Amino acid sequence: MAGIGFELRKILKRDSLLSLIQAYAYAGIISSGAWMLSIIGILVIGIFSLSVVVPNVLVTQFQVSVTYLIAISLCLTGFVQLAFTRFTADRLFEKKDDVILPNFNGLMLGTTFISGVLGLLAILFLFPHQNLIYRLLMLSGFVVMSDIWIATIFLSGMKHYKAILFMFAVGYSLTVIFSLVLRRFGLEGLLGGFVLGQFILLVGMLTSILYYYPSSHFISFIFLRKSYLYPTLMIVGFFYNFGIWIDKFIFWFNAETSIHVIGALRASPIYDVPIFLSYIFIVPGMAVFLMKMETEFVDYYNRYYDAVRSGGSLQYIESMRYEMIYTARRGIFQIINIQIIAALTVLVTGNTILTWLGISTLYLPLLFVNLISVGLQVVFLSLLNIFFYLDRRYITLTLTGLFVVFNGVLTTATIWLGPAFYGYGFALALMLVVMLGFHLLSRTFDNLEYDTFMLQ
């Protein structure tokens, strides 16, 4: 999200209560708007299709199919999301703007090829009894979704946040319209509308990229050179995405906690519903995350390193280090506060919310645990963000690797312990890596001046 702070600071310069509210609203929309639109879009398609698509199980098959497309495409492209963002940032710093677009095209070609091959293998072995249209739609949807994540990461790295939000709004609006128009064709109609809407979203992103970043060369694979690969960032990107989804995969493919949906795909209603609802309440934490990390922290971060590069006094450098540490700790503390407030709000009004949504109130305990989990996830993301700024790649590799291991092992243990413990594996895994992250961050800040000058 580097660069979003410029927009936020511009709003905050008005120095009024209204500007503060606008800044937080802007931060919340930018940080969470895209995935909120996707969640709402898929939910709306399901709600308005239940009375038309018969049997209703076809709507469930559609939603589960789309969920798997999103989850697996995120994990696959996680290998290149952070690494290519770093490649792009370094080339911008070197004033080599003309090599960015050709390498983006090269990455898109590689992503399309790899996702196409993996998708083809998947539809051959995972859906042997489904018709050809469904399998082709799943293949094309997987390729398109993988390409969308690459284009989104590229536009984010180039600071086109409003363009991303606008294109997601248009893309998912068309996705809803196409799916509702084609719903009379059943599962294939719903899935076809989704794929068509996502394809238009991808075309819009690619058009924007080609317009803003012209180049005399069309394609290049310089980013694959050994000096540009950043293997730690590649692994971190995969670990983070896989760590977020591994508990869902475990619940989905455990016979006691899941049901068969279509082909080899399974779902876990007992776990999926609460975790879905809990992510809606992550928006306030994400807004605070952007406001504090990308304005105050980044401001002192830049002052500190500018002073180091320009030969500032030791007293000034120490002062900026102190302010950077203070703003980081205060920002994380405020994220924790806002997520506690969100969790307590749901605890008090949970029965009313679930009843209004037509969901059993038996989900309330698991919903509350998941609210704590997603709050810890925002804190974890904040810690990783700080470590990325400080270029502590091996620390992020350690934290995300442990997150995968802890989440996998503890989630499996909670399933073995029984329904009363469901959700605690995800929460405890995040709590452990957050506590370790706090310790490593404190040690990093303590040694920051020594490491900064010794690494020159």
Side-chain angles (χ1 to χ4, degrees):
M1 300 302 294
I4 190 66
F6 295 112
E7 293 287 341
L8 295 175
R9 282 191 288 271
K10 190 185 302 182
I11 298 174
L12 291 172
K13 280 182 178 179
R14 301 168 195 163
D15 196 23
S16 65
L17 178 61
L18 180 60
S19 65
L20 183 63
I21 295 173
Q22 288 176 337
Y24 273 104
Y26 182 77
I29 292 171
I30 291 298
S31 63
S32 310
W35 61 264
M36 281 297 294
L37 285 169
S38 64
I39 290 176
I40 294 172
I42 295 170
L43 183 62
V44 168
I45 293 171
I47 291 174
F48 285 97
S49 299
L50 285 173
S51 60
V52 177
V53 179
V54 180
N56 289 341
V57 69
L58 297 179
V59 177
T60 302
Q61 290 177 344
F62 160 73
Q63 292 177 323
V64 170
S65 298
V66 170
T67 300
Y68 274 82
L69 290 178
I70 293 173
I72 299 176
S73 61
L74 275 171
C75 292
L76 174 63
T77 56
F79 284 107
V80 295
Q81 290 174 6
L82 294 176
F84 191 74
T85 301
R86 176 60 184 269
F87 170 84
T88 303
D90 287 350
R91 303 295 78 74
L92 289 173
F93 183 78
E94 296 170 350
K95 308 297 182 183
K96 296 180 180 178
D97 299 20
D98 57 316
V99 305
I100 294 176
L101 180 63
N103 281 277
F104 168 77
N105 291 334
L107 178 59
M108 287 290 287
L109 178 62
T111 301
T112 301
F113 176 77
I114 294 174
S115 60
V117 171
L118 293 178
L120 182 60
L121 293 174
I123 65 171
L124 290 176
F125 293 101
L126 300 182
F127 307 102
H129 304 298
Q130 274 60 56
N131 62 56
L132 180 61
I133 296 177
Y134 173 82
R135 289 192 284 177
L136 289 177
L137 287 172
M138 287 293 286
L139 172 60
S140 56
F142 181 61
V143 173
V144 169
M145 290 301 298
S146 298
D147 288 341
I148 284 176
W149 302 134
I150 300 299
T152 302
I153 287 296
F154 180 82
L155 287 172
S156 297
M158 305 303 286
K159 304 169 186 156
H160 289 279
Y161 311 111
K162 293 180 181 178
I164 293 173
L165 187 60
F166 172 76
M167 284 183 281
F168 263 82
V170 173
Y172 272 93
S173 297
L174 292 175
T175 296
V176 172
I177 293 172
F178 292 148
S179 295
L180 294 180
V181 169
L182 298 174
R183 62 186 173 176
R184 60 192 178 93
F185 296 105
L187 173 60
E188 289 75 16
L190 292 172
L191 192 57
F194 175 82
V195 173
L196 181 58
Q198 296 304 296
F199 178 74
I200 293 176
L201 169 59
L202 176 61
V203 171
M205 286 183 162
L206 294 179
T207 303
S208 177
I209 291 169
L210 291 173
Y211 176 79
Y212 285 109
Y213 302 99
S215 176
S216 57
H217 304 287
F218 181 72
I219 194 166
S220 175
F221 296 94
I222 295 176
F223 69 94
L224 291 177
R225 291 179 181 175
K226 187 177 180 180
S227 57
Y228 295 148
L229 276 179
Y230 303 105
T232 52
L233 291 180
M234 295 175 67
I235 300 172
V236 168
F238 171 74
F239 276 170
Y240 179 77
N241 283 288
F242 187 59
I244 295 299
W245 287 96
I246 189 172
D247 58 307
K248 288 78 173 174
F249 289 136
I250 291 172
F251 270 91
W252 290 343
F253 291 101
N254 182 278
E256 297 179 358
T257 59
S258 65
I259 58 173
H260 174 261
V261 178
I262 183 171
L265 307 186
R266 304 179 66 86
S268 177
I270 193 174
Y271 193 72
D272 294 345
V273 173
I275 198 71
F276 159 75
L277 292 175
S278 64
Y279 271 107
I280 295 176
F281 294 93
I282 204 175
V283 177
M286 290 297 294
V288 174
F289 160 66
L290 276 191
M291 279 291 296
K292 297 304 177 182
M293 292 297 117
E294 299 298 337
T295 54
E296 298 178 10
F297 173 78
V298 171
D299 184 32
Y300 289 113
Y301 167 89
N302 288 330
R303 293 185 187 184
Y304 173 81
Y305 282 103
D306 284 344
V308 170
R309 286 191 294 266
S310 61
S313 68
L314 180 60
Q315 182 180 3
Y316 181 77
I317 291 174
E318 288 178 343
S319 174
M320 291 303 100
R321 181 183 72 90
Y322 172 79
E323 293 294 341
M324 184 167 55
I325 295 171
Y326 175 72
T327 55
R329 289 174 176 168
R330 186 176 65 174
I332 292 174
F333 181 71
Q334 290 182 353
I335 291 171
I336 295 173
N337 280 346
I338 195 68
Q339 288 303 133
I340 290 175
I341 293 172
L344 291 176
T345 302
V346 173
L347 182 63
V348 173
T349 62
N351 283 318
T352 303
I353 295 173
L354 293 178
T355 302
W356 181 72
L357 293 173
I359 299 172
S360 172
T361 55
L362 295 175
Y363 284 113
L364 186 58
L366 184 52
L367 173 61
F368 186 69
V369 174
N370 285 331
L371 280 170
I372 296 174
S373 300
V374 298
L376 289 169
Q377 184 180 330
V378 181
V379 176
F380 184 47
L381 184 62
S382 302
L383 290 170
L384 293 177
N385 188 57
I386 295 172
F387 284 124
F388 282 135
Y389 269 112
L390 301 176
D391 200 25
R392 298 301 191 269
R393 282 172 277 166
Y394 287 103
I395 292 180
T396 60
L397 179 62
T398 301
L399 290 174
T400 53
L402 288 174
F403 177 41
V404 172
V405 174
F406 289 158
N407 197 10
V409 172
L410 293 173
T411 298
T412 303
T414 57
I415 291 178
W416 181 77
L417 290 171
F421 295 89
Y422 289 173
Y424 285 92
F426 187 37
L428 186 55
L430 281 164
M431 184 176 296
L432 290 173
V433 293
V434 164
M435 291 174 62
L436 178 60
F438 282 146
H439 169 71
L440 294 175
L441 183 60
S442 178
R443 193 171 69 177
T444 299
F445 277 140
D446 288 341
N447 300 325
L448 185 60
E449 290 171 341
Y450 173 81
D451 291 337
T452 300
F453 287 99
M454 292 304 293
L455 290 172
Q456 300 307 309

